Amino acid sequence: MKKKAFLAAIVGCMGMLMSCGGNENTCGKSDASEAVIENIMTRTSIRKFNDVPIAVDTLNLLVKAGMAAPTAMNQQPWDFIIVTEREMLDSLNSVKPWFNLKTATAAIVVCGNLKKTADGNENGYWVQDCSAATENILLAAHAYGLGAVWCGVYPNQEIVPDVTRLLQLPDSIIPLNVITMGHPADDPAPKDKFKQDNIHYQKW
Ligand SMILES: Cc1cc2nc3c(=O)[nH]c(=O)nc-3n(C[C@H](O)[C@H](O)[C@H](O)COP(=O)(O)O)c2cc1C
């Protein structure tokens, strides 16, 4: 019910924002687009899970959704590590308890691959590229009824080395985040973050 009320408010706001300059026909609105917007607006971080595992095929599809993200110069400077073994999930959780892996049944570690970037160093757009992939994975997980939370690793140099060591990552691979996931055992309401004041038209 909380979610329905939230969604009604959001859909109302989106309706105002997406009035398409007064011409509704230019929006391309359809049941499918409404479903996509609803999926975006109702995603929220989930940190408690039941013990039902996520099928490997589903995890692969989530990563495929990640790889559909836009990247600078289409470099796709990423690699993804799917972790489902309890021992590794627990080891990662011991690096940083707020990875929330205690009850998670899977994690996808999104990594930047510096060998796939134009300049081969940390200065390029790999963080943005991998972040776009991460959001795609979160949205796809939500669309499948799964719960997930983005847990940051890079640039926290207190935890990058431990994650690197545990996952045996080569030098050119940098773990950007751990996406903790599972079947939800919690149903938090999505946060309403919309603030009209954050939007500026034409200039500041
Ligand atoms: C870069 C980044 C790092 C984050 N790191 C953590 C984390 O270590 N642990 C955690 O529980 N949540 C983490 N989060 C999730 C945020 O706390 C969460 O997205 C935020 O509170 C907004 O809530 P929502 O995802 O439900 O909209 C992170 C999110 C981002 C984008």
Side-chain angles (χ1 to χ4, degrees), residues 43-45 47 96 98-100 149-152 191 193:
R43 181 216 58 82
T44 192
S45 294
R47 298 177 173 86
K96 192 180 166 208
W98 52 101
F99 282 165
N100 303 285
V149 55
W150 173 334
C151 298
K191 301 166 187 70
K193 301 168 192 152

Side-chain angles (χ1 to χ4, degrees), residues 110-158:
V110 180
C111 300
N113 184 332
L114 301 185
K115 286 195 173 159
K116 296 177 186 170
T117 62
D119 39 14
N121 61 39
E122 290 187 35
N123 300 330
Y125 289 105
W126 71 270
V127 172
Q128 290 93 321
D129 298 336
C130 290
S131 296
T134 302
E135 181 66 0
N136 273 13
I137 291 172
L138 292 175
L139 290 172
H142 179 51
Y144 284 137
L146 298 169
V149 55
W150 173 334
C151 298
V153 178
Y154 180 89
N156 186 340
Q157 292 306 328
E158 284 177 15

Side-chain angles (χ1 to χ4, degrees), residues 19-71:
S19 60
C20 305
N23 183 354
E24 292 285 325
N25 293 332
T26 58
C27 276
K29 277 191 199 166
S30 65
D31 287 351
S33 61
E34 295 292 334
V36 169
I37 297 296
E38 173 173 342
N39 193 59
I40 292 170
M41 304 313 289
T42 57
R43 181 216 58 82
T44 192
S45 294
I46 305 284
R47 298 177 173 86
K48 284 185 192 147
F49 311 95
N50 66 32
D51 58 6
V52 178
I54 303 174
V56 174
D57 285 355
T58 303
L59 290 166
N60 285 329
L61 275 173
L62 295 180
V63 172
K64 191 172 179 183
M67 290 188 206
T71 56

